[in-house]
Amino acid sequence: MSKHVRLTMAQALTRWLAMQRVEVNGVELPYFAGMWAIFGHGNVAGMGEALAGMEDALPTYRAHNEQGMAHAAIAFAKASRRRRAMACTTSIGPGATNMVTAAALAHVNRLPVLFLPGDVYASRRPDPVLQQVEDFADATVSANDCFRPVSRYFDRITRPNQIIDALPRAMTVLTDPALCGPVTLALCQDVQAEAFDYPESFFAPRLWRPRRMRPDRAELATLVEAVRAARAPLIVAGGGVLYSEAEAVLADLAARTGIPIAETQAGKGALAWDHRQALGSVGVTGTSAANAAAEAADLIIGVGTRLQDFTTGSRRLFAGKRLIQINIAAPDAIKQGAEAVVGDAGETLEALAEALADWQVDAAWRNANRATVAEWNAAWEVATAPSNALPSDAQVIGAVWRQAGDDATVVCAAGGLPGELHKLWRSHRPGGYHVEYGFSCMGYEVAGGLGVKMADPARDVYVMVGDGSYLMLNSELATSVMLGRKIIVILLDNGGYGCINRLQQGTGGRPFNNLLADAAHETLPDIDFAAHARSLGAAAEKVGGIAELEAALDRAKQSPKSYVIVIDTDPAITTEAGGHWWDVAVPEVSARPEVQAARRDYENRIDGGRT
Ligand SMILES: Cc1ncc(C[n+]2csc(CCOP(=O)(O)OP(=O)(O)O)c2C)c(N)n1
Ligand SMILES: [Mg+2]
């Protein structure tokens, strides 16, 4: 007879999580690096009791905001290239729904994270329990139903034995490259505390290996023929290249064949910036070199990219070209009329390289790209060179890049900075560029930086964040100090939502409600960000320009604890070179001549709505 062990559901769940293993660079590690937790009545008795005393097998980390801790968990998984993940437990109600935005972020970016929100009583004994939403039309609805559209797998645990099937299914979703994304197991408060006789065998250690699917033979043959027939092929490398750990295969294929490589936001860093075939970023925030290549190409090969509008220049940049999509997920592979090659990026590129043997691109294509890259590098020098004026984002990026060195990681998510970083940051190695631009969620930066540092404590983490994004969510700065996970934050204060202010004027609007000066106010706030950061326990200073920034970055590097450098920047300047049109709909009716003119431009662009 098989042995059983009597445990609460929460005890069984946490014990099971601790037994899931992965192999990273030949070393066996727990898949779950830990549990982020903010307790309330919905999880403190059940999950709280189970986690206490498990510190070695499944460490618990206390955060200050559920969205923040979820961002840290997601950033940890992204920095770990989806090989490892973290879990997040919250109370019911607001603690749970605070994570919904983060769940959407993980869903868009295809990143693994296990959400464990507390849920209302399965027994319904105390209904309505504190924080229960109550739906009079549907008694099975709880606040956690908000997670359904933003989870790859959603389940509500209403009986303790349900986790015996739910947990392995959750792991399958978290570790499958095509399904990968957030999993939500809503844990009814009473069921967390309920006991069950679990089979001992349920807790046996299990090793999970990432599946590397080879491409279908016929689809691969089409790809090989297309490349051989192409006059000017271009590879667009997306995040899938990094998650498949295909960067060496890609670099080798590019070097051997001469096929140039452009990178999406998620794919940036796949190729070292000075690789001979590297064109840099592509699309709305692309380099002039990559976008010129995209326009001149007769074959675009997307690798591990979801083709979001910033990558495709709102579907204009690749229009009319032959498009082949190498992707592990078939729905991504068939997007926008692409010919699909469904398979792992690394396996597919390796098979392609083998089939191409010593085939090379025409010298004319190689030389054309070399010339445009030289032009771009000259534009890069102009954009990043310090001056005596109020600094631009580009000048700050230049200073941070010069200081950061080869091993560092830069972290960003929203505002004007992601576009400038996409164009201007020069990646030395995969993982050195961590910009969340699938959801571009304000408030990701500081918490995300903490997650990146936890994934790789040996590396310096440079968080670049706007004043708006910092104000939205900065509380995990205190957590970084508390956990001794140092991050360096460069806070660019341009007086508000600079990029949206520019976009507003670009669509004919008057400056309104974006910069603080243009928003309703009795007193214009003069926020002392350095004092704020110090109050959270970080070291902080404000600098007066690029030279002072460089000196402060030296001090930040030496600092044992998290360090925030505040610098005022010009809200109006962005890098002119490179870039591409972006589809932002302009009002059809307005009394403002500027809006009417912008609408006429817009209609010309979209051909009266026909395209
Ligand atoms: C959570 C969230 N709310 C709103 C937005 C829309 N948005 C994008 S950038 C931005 C302004 C960001 O301001 P700041 O961080 O100061 O950067 P800046 O634009 O000044 O460079 C806003 C409101 C968003 N991306 N995320
Ligand atoms: Mg700002």
Side-chain angles (χ1 to χ4, degrees), residues 488-533:
I488 299 171
V489 179
I490 299 94
L491 195 163
L492 290 81
D493 183 3
N494 58 9
Y497 302 153
C499 72
I500 309 296
N501 179 51
R502 291 192 299 271
L503 184 61
Q504 186 169 50
Q505 290 169 76
T507 52
R510 71 176 164 86
F512 163 62
N513 204 50
N514 282 309
L515 296 184
L516 294 172
D518 304 323
H521 64 270
E522 289 203 7
T523 311
L524 203 55
D526 181 17
I527 298 161
D528 187 343
F529 287 102
H532 179 271

Side-chain angles (χ1 to χ4, degrees), residues 417-447:
L417 281 165
E420 294 292 278
L421 284 165
H422 193 213
K423 274 186 188 177
L424 301 171
W425 191 263
R426 289 174 154 178
S427 306
H428 297 284
R429 60 168 188 93
Y433 182 84
H434 181 123
V435 175
E436 186 283 294
Y437 210 64
F439 213 44
S440 187
C441 186
M442 289 171 73
Y444 177 85
E445 296 88 344
V446 168

Side-chain angles (χ1 to χ4, degrees), residues 38-43 64-70 89-102 115-120 129-134 142-147 189:
I38 292 183
F39 294 142
H41 71 88
N43 65 338
H64 295 293
N65 174 295
E66 289 89 354
Q67 184 184 344
M69 75 186 192
T89 169
T90 69
S91 191
I92 76 166
T97 53
N98 264 0
M99 291 199 298
V100 173
T101 300
F115 294 116
L116 301 169
D119 210 320
V120 299
V129 69
L130 177 69
Q131 300 170 329
Q132 183 162 347
V133 168
E134 282 195 284
S142 86
N144 286 333
D145 287 273
C146 297
F147 283 94
Q189 186 179 331

